[in-house]
Amino acid sequence: MASNPSDEPAGELPVELVDDKKAHKIMHNETYLDFSTSIHRVMKQMYPDISISTNSIEIINSFINDIFERIASEASKVAAHSKKSTITAREIHAAVCILLPGDLSRQAVSEANKAIHKSFPPK
């Protein structure tokens, strides 16, 4: 293989660029999380007599992914601002407080704390 990209035959991309495009495509596909099973399960637990359409589940799933991306992005900014390379619960808490308005952020943090204490009880 040629060491200089200008030595490449016309029409071919250097291996590095092809690999980057594949990696980007693979990473992009992995970032979209599917919560449709969980949405349906929670819906049936809360409202057993009511059904939900596939389109509605897709909309809720899209909303969850959007909020997740926003929180992760903001938490990353908070971590970078404090010169840390790890996103911890503190950065997530700060990101939620920045993104969500007043009572909604307090409710989200309260529910998150309840879920954490339920899953990992203090010793």
Side-chain angles (χ1 to χ4, degrees):
M1 177 138 237
S3 61
N4 189 351
S6 61
D7 295 339
E8 296 278 332
E12 281 188 41
L13 290 174
V15 175
E16 298 83 18
L17 291 178
V18 174
D19 289 342
D20 286 347
K21 286 184 179 182
K22 285 181 184 177
H24 176 61
K25 186 174 183 180
I26 291 169
M27 285 175 30
H28 179 69
N29 288 340
E30 289 177 5
T31 58
Y32 184 78
L33 302 173
D34 187 23
F35 297 100
S36 57
T37 307
S38 301
I39 294 167
H40 193 265
R41 190 179 312 131
V42 169
M43 176 74 178
K44 282 299 176 185
Q45 284 177 353
M46 294 181 70
Y47 306 102
D49 299 335
I50 299 175
S51 61
I52 185 167
S53 69
T54 305
N55 191 30
S56 298
I57 289 178
E58 288 176 8
I59 291 169
I60 295 169
N61 192 45
S62 176
F63 173 75
I64 291 170
N65 276 298
D66 181 52
I67 293 295
F68 175 78
E69 288 292 326
R70 288 182 190 196
I71 291 172
S73 176
E74 191 64 37
S76 175
K77 291 175 189 174
V78 170
H81 182 73
S82 58
K83 297 180 179 140
K84 294 183 180 178
S85 59
T86 305
I87 296 175
T88 63
R90 179 173 289 183
E91 283 80 24
I92 298 293
H93 182 161
V96 167
C97 290
I98 290 169
L99 290 173
L100 300 178
D103 288 341
L104 190 56
S105 69
R106 283 190 286 279
Q107 182 71 22
V109 169
S110 173
E111 290 296 325
N113 285 333
K114 277 199 312 191
I116 290 170
H117 287 294
K118 184 177 179 181
S119 298
F120 307 103
K123 294 179 182 181

